[in-house]
Amino acid sequence: MGRAEWLSGDGFGWADLCAIPFAATTARFGVSPQAGSAIADWLARAQLRPSVKMTLAEAHAYHREMPEAVAALAVGAFKREYRDHRLEWMLRTGGWAVVLDGLQKNTIRFTDLIAFAPEMKE
């Protein structure tokens, strides 16, 4: 950041907008920037902005529902969907065990290609 107040320089911009969800969410889950660091000060400034406050409040409300989603996933009431790009990413980054576990427990699903390309049915 150097001496700038924002990742984008002197004014709040796209870089800040893109980084806030990651910084705020990791801080919410216990991985915070070091107190007094430029990043900690930046995050505190960003969280004072009305638009950021509103968006983070909505995200936090959603996160409160996550334990229920995890429980639904465990019993198969909810299935994660793997589209081609997501599945490729999982496999390329070593997520084979997660995918195989999901297949075995029937807690994942794949995109219905026939819905997108009916000609593939034959």
Side-chain angles (χ1 to χ4, degrees), residues 13-83:
W14 285 108
D16 304 290
L17 186 66
C18 293
I20 287 169
F22 298 101
T25 301
T26 57
R28 183 162 170 74
F29 290 109
V31 182
S32 299
Q34 184 178 3
S37 69
I39 294 296
D41 293 344
W42 162 81
L43 183 57
R45 269 192 309 280
Q47 290 176 328
L48 293 175
R49 296 180 60 84
S51 59
V52 173
K53 276 185 182 179
M54 182 180 70
T55 302
L56 291 179
E58 290 172 1
H60 294 165
Y62 175 77
H63 288 154
R64 282 190 289 276
E65 297 173 11
M66 289 305 288
E68 293 171 15
V70 171
L73 181 65
V75 298
F78 170 76
K79 294 183 181 185
R80 293 173 302 198
E81 180 177 355
Y82 284 95
R83 296 175 195 95

Side-chain angles (χ1 to χ4, degrees), residues 71-106:
L73 181 65
V75 298
F78 170 76
K79 294 183 181 185
R80 293 173 302 198
E81 180 177 355
Y82 284 95
R83 296 175 195 95
D84 57 348
H85 64 282
R86 188 172 182 200
L87 180 60
E88 180 182 3
W89 176 83
M90 286 292 290
L91 299 180
R92 285 181 182 253
T93 58
W96 288 90
V98 173
V99 175
L100 291 174
D101 184 61
L103 287 170
Q104 187 176 38
K105 292 179 179 176
N106 197 26

Side-chain angles (χ1 to χ4, degrees), residues 1 4-13 15-20 39 42:
M1 289 185 65
E5 285 195 22
W6 302 103
L7 298 177
S8 299
D10 292 333
F12 183 83
D16 304 290
L17 186 66
C18 293
I20 287 169
I39 294 296
W42 162 81

